[in-house]
Amino acid sequence: MMMMIVMMVVMMVMMVVVMMMVMMMMMMVVMMVVMMMIVMMVVMMVMMVMMMMVMVMMGMMVVRRARLSGPDRPGSDAALFPPQEGVGDTPDSYAYDGNRVRKWNVTTTNYGKSWAAGDIVSCLVDLDEGTITFCLNGQSLGTAFSGIKTGPGVAYFPAISLSFKESVAFNFGSRPLRYPVEGYLPLQDPPAADLLKAHQLLGFIKNVLSTCLDPQEDKLLEKEAADWSLHGEPTVLITLAHIFNHFAPLMCKVYLVEDVLMNFLLGILEGGGSVDEHPLIQQLLDLFWLLMEEHEVNECLKQLMMSLLRAYRFSPIIPDLGFQIHYLRLTTAILRHEKSRKYLLNNLTFDVLRSVVFFYIKTPLRVKEAGLEELIPTTWWPTHFDKEGKDEREPKDESSDERLRRRAYERGCQRLKKRIEVVEDLQVQILKLLLNNKDKTTGEASRYIFLNKFRKFLQENASNRGHPTALCPPEYMVCFLHRLVAAVRSCWDEGGRKSLSSLSSEDAYVPPQLFYNGKVDYFDLQRLGGLLSHLKKTLKDDLACKANVLIDPAEIQTTSMDDLDEDEESGAAQRPFGAAAMGGALARPSWLSSPTLGRANRFLSTAAVSLMTPRRPLSQPEKVKVRTLAVEQRTEEDIEGSHGNDGLLLGRPQEEPDQPITDKSLLEIIDGIVMMYNLSVHQQLGKMVVVADEVHEYAVALKDTEEKIARCPARRADILEELQKSQKVFAEKLNHLSRRLAWINATIYSKEKMLDVYWLLCVCIRTIEHADNTGSLFAFAPEFYLNVAMNAYSALKNYFSPANSMEELPGYEETLTQLAAILAKHFADPRIVGTDIKDSLMQALASYVCYPQSLRAVERIPEEQRVAMMRNLLAPYEQRPWAQTNWILVRLWRGCGFGYRYTRLPHLLKTKPEDANLPSLQKPCPSLLLQKHMAELLSLDKDMAASFLNSVLNQLNWAFSEFIGMIQEIQQAAERPERNFVDTRQLKVCATCFDLSVSLLRVLEMTVTLVPEIFLDWSRPSAELLLRRLAQLLNQVLNRVTAEKNLFDRVVNLRLPGLESVDHYPILVAVTGILVRILVDGDKQGTSRAAAVLLSDPCFQLHSIQHLLGEPGASSGSPAAVRPAGSSAAPLTPSAAGNPERKHFSLHAYTDYISQEEKQKVEMMLDFLTEESKQAAAATAPTSEEDLCPICYAHSISAVFRPCSHKSCKACINQHLMNNKDCFFCKATITGVEDYSKPCSS
């Protein structure tokens, strides 16, 4: 019995233990489930928070893109995919690609519309029906996918694939959706309770504002809310204070600010009228600042302005631009409130993409959706073109139908322009509010806050040029620049009305003292004289003497030791800016390429300088040390000046006039505008021209197609049908592009925008002229002023025409002359040391002399400057980059040389030029005046003439030798049996060497025509040597180009792309021009000397001269020799294979290029050389090999060297001594050269 009891007890204990274990296990399971639920909730909360933290725009998805080039696909994804795959590349991944207009789910098909920057893409997922639909700017694109997986275990996550430099912003419901769709909900539920509460409280506020107390009858009366005033009944304010206790916290939430407050404020302005007619917004803002905590009103204003910015940026384009105008009006109303404006200036604006967005007017890519078809129902484009593709028909020659179409199109463009001008006027009003310098009741004036922010904005864009994602987009910068120019000029002229003696905005410029007095920070931007720290040390005496500026030695010592070491190494040779150095050429200093360039340039903003403008002319001005403040620390007094302090104008040099300027702060803004143009505006102006180019290309294609339709035979219906399809496509494309071009012309290339760029050009010209007057201090000027002057002129000439003409600009010819003087003086200015800016100046001058109007401007500059320019152009080529210099001289001669009146080479006339506006394709416009200066310089300065021509001959020898070597390599590659591809860079270099050879020959032709005595008057030093060298090179060129079965013929017949300019005509007529001048046009003594030298050269062959007229040479052997020698290479090209009996080159074939008189001179030259060669052959006595020059083996020994007594011919030793003084043989220094004649006894 006891045993049973014990067993029962044991069993019960075991059961209890088991039950306890089961309960513990159940509890553990429950706890694990609870923990998993908590973890899942935490994960979901984290995901929601992350979604809320994503930068959002209004809509489900907002795609911002400057250029769409990759597989960028927003969509939904239920699977993980590796980095190499994009959205839509896996089975459970779905995507819409608006770049390629396709949808993606492993495979791809056409779907939707093309998207653009600023579009809003919505993704709608129907989990009931299993479909995915996309919308673009609120318009459904149709069901993209159906039958998607749903049910337990399936979840979809938003995803997107982006290309480099692209960005996107998401809105999952943290803000009101721009395009909500009925039946669909955002991922994040709207704050319904807060929305209801905010609307109720706002209703209370509106009721209170529209209510007043009647003290006599003691009752409430209704009134217009717009008539309410903050200084009203205390009871009303107390009531509003109670309401704001509940309303203010809600206004810190972005959803409520955008949905409730912004819409309420917009409703106030819906009645129309000017912003001034709606004072209620100002009263409300006063109420906000009075009844809300500071952090609440700050957050509310920040969210309100950001909501307005997003709304403006992503508003669709409609014909009247109503959305943009609506948001800009509210922005203007808010910024009219002084305290709110200063808060926003201090805390929000100019963070790269913030307030600049308000000044941008985006260009619609979809013309139909923008309503341009309504504004511009009739389209027009040029229909008549010349051989080079230019529009050749003047309006007076148009048909009546064309005239009606053009006028209707112009009327539509004017309607569009007027609507855009409304938006632009609002944008200018906003900027004028930001430039207000009278609102000092609540602290620092708005203008000075704006100025500091503006400078930081420029610094960010100047220092991040290698990181495009951190920059303000250039299309924004263009619009911002034009609005800023309008606002600044308005403020300048308003201030100028108070003082009649002050400058008007038409005559504005930036005084030179801003460049060295430390008041304006130029970041890392390069100065004309190089490193700023170096300039401060080397020019400290000039600064003290001319501008009363003393550099604090302690500040100089703070410069990095690297800079100090480099300056010590460079020594006195790097001080080129004093009066003694102004006349000579300057080698580039070693420190210019130093890695410490950026650090040293930043020295200016922290340098301690001593500045004082003299007030007592009878006494020496006292120099007082002051420390320049950082941008953030500057006050109004530091900028505008007061009580003897000139502010930004401290340190006025003696050469600078004491011109009163009312608002000095505007000078720094103008300086910033110039910097903006240099950073990105000019490049963007060039990019937008592509639309006009496309209109031109499609117009030419349409005209060509219409001509083919007219010629198509009736029996070829299939061809006619295809041509008509092409005609329809071209016409539709032109309709679209012509309307888009109207928008671009109104926003970017209008007459007003052209005047802005022209004003900027004039500002730069005047600034450069004033800085140049300071002498050595000119080196402190930033390089970008010269760049902007050159680029602004280029934009006016190339980008704004033909819609607007430069000739209509005020003072156009005078401005051209001023710019010509700057280019002529500074392209060889020793104060400018930067290689890039010197090259830019040289290229600008080379382009300047290509056009008749600008060339006439060069001729109008003072004679002293013209002569100095020509002297610099004739400096020896070895000491500097010479290709552009040679090109300038060629352009001055083009139109005067032998057969040198062409615009395009004869063999290229049938091909269309890539750009008919290139300087090289302009009609010849020689300058006889500048040729006269060149002739006088070379005639009077014998040493300079010899040095210049020696360098030209050296470069010609190099260029032609390089060309021959390259075409040998090209020919060898072409003859190999295997397939070969010649490097395009090698072809380009080869063509460049050929062009250089031709241009150098033309310069020699110009020289021998203008100053023949340099070669033919042997009383001049080096004349005989120069003539012998010239003859040697001319014979070399003739032999290489005219010999039978020569390399040149074979390469020309290949007609390789890249070698289009390589042909017989340009080089042979250049050589012919030189020969005709020295053998036919000269006096008898000169022609005899030239003939004797030419015939004495061992390379001379008479058949090379006969080749010019297509006559068979003496070595031909048979009439067949006149055929081209490239027949073996002919199978390599269809043109050569199809014409094996190709005609021999002959000047007689170019009747349109060579006059009859020129042909007769060539025939006279050939007869003269034939007779002279016969006489020379009869009179030549045999010479033993021992008597020949051991250097050239072409002439007899005629000179002996002293003191070493070695011998050679005079030609060899004279040529050698021009570059070297050592003996050929023993390397001893030659002290003299004596004539040598062989003793008779020998």
Side-chain angles (χ1 to χ4, degrees), residues 752-772:
E752 292 73 19
K753 310 302 184 300
M754 187 179 190
L755 288 171
D756 287 345
V757 176
Y758 181 64
W759 177 78
L760 207 59
L761 168 63
C762 295
V763 167
C764 290
I765 288 176
R766 286 189 289 269
T767 300
I768 295 167
E769 289 176 343
H770 281 263
D772 181 37

Side-chain angles (χ1 to χ4, degrees), residues 865-1106:
Q865 294 184 18
R866 293 197 307 266
V867 173
M869 179 189 75
M870 294 306 300
R871 184 180 297 277
N872 288 323
L873 290 175
L874 296 175
Y877 282 4
E878 285 86 352
Q879 299 178 12
R880 56 194 172 87
W882 55 270
Q884 288 293 341
T885 299
N886 197 77
W887 170 248
I888 294 173
L889 294 175
V890 168
R891 289 300 305 186
L892 300 179
W893 177 245
R894 189 172 182 179
C896 297
F898 184 91
Y900 200 37
R901 294 170 292 277
Y902 56 81
T903 300
R904 301 186 66 205
L905 291 170
H907 68 287
L908 295 178
L909 276 183
K910 295 182 180 180
T911 62
K912 180 183 175 183
E914 294 182 1
D915 185 359
N917 293 321
L918 288 173
S920 58
L921 297 179
Q922 302 310 305
K923 293 181 179 180
C925 51
S927 173
L928 300 180
L929 178 61
L930 297 179
Q931 290 178 22
K932 176 184 175 183
H933 292 322
M934 176 179 173
E936 292 173 350
L937 287 170
L938 293 178
S939 178
L940 297 176
D941 194 334
K942 298 179 181 180
D943 292 336
M944 183 183 72
S947 178
F948 167 70
L949 287 173
N950 183 57
S951 65
V952 172
L953 293 170
N954 286 341
Q955 299 301 341
L956 174 60
N957 183 42
W958 168 84
F960 191 73
S961 300
E962 288 290 318
F963 168 71
I964 294 298
M966 289 181 183
I967 63 174
Q968 286 176 344
E969 296 177 4
I970 293 171
Q971 175 62 20
Q972 291 171 2
E975 290 178 345
R976 297 193 187 107
E978 66 271 13
R979 187 177 180 85
N980 292 286
F981 296 93
V982 182
D983 187 5
T984 55
R985 289 180 300 176
Q986 183 181 9
L987 293 174
K988 185 176 181 180
V989 173
C990 180
T992 301
C993 288
F994 179 80
D995 294 338
L996 288 174
S997 301
V998 174
S999 65
L1000 288 164
L1001 285 168
R1002 287 298 184 181
V1003 169
L1004 289 171
E1005 179 193 17
M1006 177 184 183
T1007 306
V1008 79
T1009 302
L1010 297 176
V1011 200
E1013 61 268 22
I1014 294 181
F1015 295 94
L1016 303 178
D1017 182 4
W1018 286 7
S1019 64
R1020 295 172 62 101
S1022 305
E1024 181 182 359
L1025 170 64
L1026 291 173
L1027 182 60
R1028 292 188 182 278
R1029 291 196 64 196
L1030 177 65
Q1032 179 184 4
L1033 287 171
L1034 294 181
N1035 284 326
Q1036 178 186 351
V1037 172
L1038 283 173
N1039 292 341
R1040 290 285 191 174
V1041 177
T1042 63
E1044 298 296 337
K1045 299 182 180 180
N1046 67 79
L1047 179 65
F1048 186 86
D1049 269 344
R1050 291 197 295 269
V1051 172
V1052 168
N1053 290 339
L1054 290 176
R1055 295 298 178 196
L1056 296 174
L1059 294 183
E1060 292 86 357
S1061 63
V1062 179
D1063 193 68
H1064 294 80
Y1065 180 85
I1067 195 165
L1068 287 182
V1069 292
V1071 172
T1072 305
I1074 300 173
L1075 293 175
V1076 166
R1077 184 64 191 88
I1078 62 176
L1079 295 174
V1080 177
D1081 293 341
D1083 56 24
K1084 185 174 181 181
Q1085 183 182 20
T1087 55
S1088 299
R1089 286 175 176 172
V1093 170
L1094 190 68
L1095 295 174
S1096 66
D1097 187 85
C1099 298
F1100 174 77
Q1101 297 180 23
L1102 186 60
H1103 73 83
S1104 295
I1105 308 298
Q1106 296 169 338

Side-chain angles (χ1 to χ4, degrees), residues 1162-1208:
V1162 177
E1163 293 172 353
M1164 292 170 58
M1165 177 184 69
L1166 178 58
D1167 294 340
F1168 175 65
L1169 286 177
T1170 302
E1171 184 63 28
E1172 289 292 320
S1173 62
K1174 292 179 180 177
Q1175 296 179 8
T1180 301
T1183 305
S1184 65
E1185 185 175 347
E1186 295 179 355
D1187 296 332
L1188 290 176
C1189 170
I1191 304 300
C1192 65
Y1193 286 94
H1195 306 100
S1196 300
I1197 296 174
S1198 56
V1200 59
F1201 317 156
R1202 296 300 181 213
C1204 60
S1205 299
H1206 286 109
K1207 306 177 186 66
S1208 74

Side-chain angles (χ1 to χ4, degrees), residues 6 77 88 96 136 230 309 420 585 617 689 751 762 914 1200 1219:
V6 170
D77 206 311
Y96 157 49
L136 185 64
L230 182 64
L309 186 146
I420 290 175
V689 179
K751 180 71 173 180
C762 295
E914 294 182 1
V1200 59
N1219 302 303

Side-chain angles (χ1 to χ4, degrees), residues 72-87:
D72 315 305
R73 320 163 193 165
S76 300
D77 206 311
L80 297 175
F81 50 88
Q84 63 269 22
E85 293 183 342
V87 184

Side-chain angles (χ1 to χ4, degrees), residues 224-253:
E224 289 292 333
D227 297 332
W228 183 82
S229 173
L230 182 64
H231 305 290
E233 300 86 352
T235 307
V236 175
L237 288 178
I238 294 174
T239 305
L240 288 172
H242 284 292
I243 298 174
F244 267 84
N245 281 336
H246 303 279
F247 183 70
L250 297 177
M251 290 300 98
C252 296
K253 299 179 180 180

Side-chain angles (χ1 to χ4, degrees), residues 277-423:
E277 298 174 6
H278 301 279
L280 179 58
I281 294 179
Q282 305 298 309
Q283 300 288 350
L284 283 174
L285 290 173
D286 284 336
L287 204 61
F288 278 28
W289 284 101
L290 177 66
L291 300 179
M292 294 174 67
E293 297 291 338
E294 185 174 355
H295 72 275
E296 293 174 337
V297 68
N298 289 349
E299 184 65 22
C300 176
L301 284 174
K302 176 182 176 182
Q303 296 299 343
L304 177 59
M305 190 57 64
M306 291 300 297
S307 297
L308 278 172
L309 186 146
R310 287 189 294 265
Y312 176 82
R313 183 180 179 187
F314 294 103
S315 295
I317 300 293
I318 58 177
D320 63 352
L321 298 173
F323 291 117
Q324 287 78 6
I325 293 173
H326 208 37
Y327 297 126
L328 287 174
R329 279 166 53 84
L330 179 53
T331 303
T332 305
I334 294 171
L335 291 176
R336 288 181 64 84
H337 189 264
E338 180 178 330
K339 193 170 183 180
S340 301
R341 176 173 69 248
K342 291 184 179 179
Y343 165 74
L344 292 171
L345 270 172
N346 274 311
N347 296 279
L348 186 66
T349 55
F350 284 104
D351 291 343
V352 182
L353 275 179
R354 294 280 175 86
S355 68
V356 180
V357 173
F358 283 118
F359 310 113
Y360 174 55
I361 302 179
K362 62 183 178 182
T363 303
L365 295 181
R366 291 178 293 275
V367 169
K368 188 173 183 179
E369 295 178 13
L372 293 186
E373 291 181 351
E374 303 172 18
L375 279 175
I376 311 175
T378 305
T379 58
W380 174 86
W381 52 83
T383 55
H384 299 274
F385 309 96
D386 58 14
K387 293 180 180 180
E388 296 179 355
K390 296 181 181 179
D391 184 17
E392 65 177 3
R393 181 70 62 93
E394 295 294 330
K396 63 181 180 181
D397 299 325
E398 290 175 327
S399 65
S400 58
D401 291 341
E402 289 175 340
R403 188 179 301 108
L404 289 174
R405 278 187 59 202
R406 180 175 58 81
R407 290 177 177 175
Y409 176 72
E410 290 173 350
R411 287 194 297 270
C413 293
Q414 285 299 318
R415 288 192 295 269
L416 173 64
K417 183 180 177 183
K418 288 180 179 179
R419 299 189 179 187
I420 290 175
E421 285 175 348
V422 176
V423 177

